[in-house]
Amino acid sequence: MNREEKQEELQHILDTHQKIVFFGGAGVSTESGIPDFRSQDGLYHMQYQYPPETIISHTFFQHRTKEFYRFYKDKMLITDAEPNAAHRKLAELEEAGKLLAVVTQNIDGLHQKAGSRRVYELHGSIHRNYCTRCGKFYDAEYIRNSAEEPRCECGGLIKPDVVLYEEGLNQDVIRGAVNAIREADCLIIGGTSLVVYPAAGLIDYFSGDKLVLINKSATSRDNSADLVISEPIGEVFSKIRV
């Protein structure tokens, strides 16, 4: 199929399914100006005193907190980005009663900003931050405007509610995501290379009718998909009719 035929096939799948789940990764937000981790211009290709994967680990957060927060505020705490066509269209599909849930590996909160309500954030969110001593909540702006080590009024260190290396995923979020994927009659995977586990393994719970993959580069699941579109996801979703 050519590009136009694939777009029409996607439209047909959306028109004929009522329990759609979207599973997305960093590529969904790159069109909003948020860099991914593994592209040529992503965080893994930037030069710092320590590799990014070391900095965003639980051990580093505990023992080199100031260095962690310098990197986190500079490269991960992005609060001025706006939802793109993919975020907005998914919110429209949910509003129309066709989308069951969004399962995302992103921590930027753009799905909620676009209007999506049922969002399972596998890796947490920059918009939730908690005192490690008393548990008090703080928003992203408090972290941005704080000193080198954000502190609670009780004196405790504040930690972003994001899943760092060496940390496990939230089990309640996992259960919700798995249940949604199991219930889906159509699973759309977009903007992810499907190499980050255990998150990528969740799609194994899908046993519905149609599997759609939308990603600029090839993935390990292309051969098992009913439709593969190798285009920017925002561009593809901007043409969808709800």
Side-chain angles (χ1 to χ4, degrees):
M1 287 188 286
N2 60 31
R3 180 182 300 180
E4 289 74 21
E5 289 170 332
K6 287 188 175 185
Q7 187 75 41
E8 282 307 309
E9 177 62 17
L10 174 61
Q11 185 67 54
H12 175 72
I13 290 171
L14 294 175
D15 290 343
T16 55
H17 291 78
Q18 299 295 325
K19 295 181 178 180
I20 302 165
V21 168
F22 178 81
F23 181 98
V28 179
S29 292
T30 52
E31 291 171 71
S32 293
I34 297 178
D36 69 17
F37 276 69
R38 291 171 177 79
S39 70
Q40 190 60 40
D41 298 320
L43 295 182
Y44 280 7
H45 292 271
M46 297 178 181
Q47 297 300 312
Y48 292 91
Q49 186 177 355
Y50 302 92
E53 58 265 41
T54 297
I55 298 174
I56 52 178
S57 68
H58 182 79
T59 298
F60 199 92
F61 172 79
Q62 284 189 311
H63 298 290
R64 296 183 178 272
T65 309
K66 289 182 180 179
E67 288 90 342
F68 169 87
Y69 266 113
R70 275 199 289 271
F71 178 88
Y72 179 80
K73 290 181 181 182
D74 186 33
K75 296 300 176 186
M76 299 177 70
L77 190 61
I78 301 173
T79 57
D80 57 354
E82 292 297 326
N84 60 54
H87 299 106
R88 294 192 297 270
K89 197 66 68 171
L90 287 165
E92 289 179 36
L93 286 166
E94 183 182 20
E95 182 69 25
K98 296 182 69 67
L99 186 80
L100 290 179
V102 169
V103 180
T104 180
Q105 299 174 79
N106 297 337
I107 60 174
D108 50 50
L110 289 180
H111 286 292
Q112 291 92 330
K113 195 171 185 179
S116 290
R117 294 183 295 276
R118 192 177 179 190
V119 182
Y120 295 104
E121 295 172 306
L122 299 176
H123 296 149
S125 172
I126 62 170
H127 298 286
R128 297 188 299 271
N129 306 272
Y130 298 97
C131 173
T132 56
R133 180 183 296 173
C134 73
K136 183 175 179 179
F137 169 86
Y138 290 89
D139 63 17
E141 288 307 314
Y142 182 89
I143 301 300
R144 178 176 298 286
N145 297 325
S146 66
E148 290 179 321
E149 293 186 13
R151 292 281 171 178
C152 175
E153 57 188 24
C154 79
L157 177 65
I158 299 171
K159 181 185 180 297
D161 187 20
V162 298
V163 179
L164 305 178
Y165 285 106
E166 305 167 349
E167 295 179 345
L169 304 187
N170 182 290
Q171 290 305 302
D172 290 336
V173 174
I174 289 289
R175 278 191 290 271
V178 167
N179 289 337
I181 291 170
R182 277 177 170 159
E183 190 181 348
D185 60 6
C186 172
L187 178 62
I188 301 174
I189 300 171
T192 174
S193 54
L194 294 175
V195 298
V196 177
Y197 281 80
L202 297 185
I203 66 174
D204 291 332
Y205 290 97
F206 176 67
S207 60
D209 182 48
K210 293 291 185 181
L211 176 63
V212 178
L213 269 167
I214 306 171
N215 197 54
K216 289 195 288 186
S217 59
T219 78
S220 60
R221 303 297 182 111
D222 285 11
N223 290 336
S224 58
D226 297 285
L227 177 64
V228 177
I229 301 178
S230 303
E231 304 288 341
I233 190 164
E235 187 177 305
V236 173
F237 269 76
S238 68
K239 300 173 185 175
I240 290 173
R241 304 180 299 276
V242 177

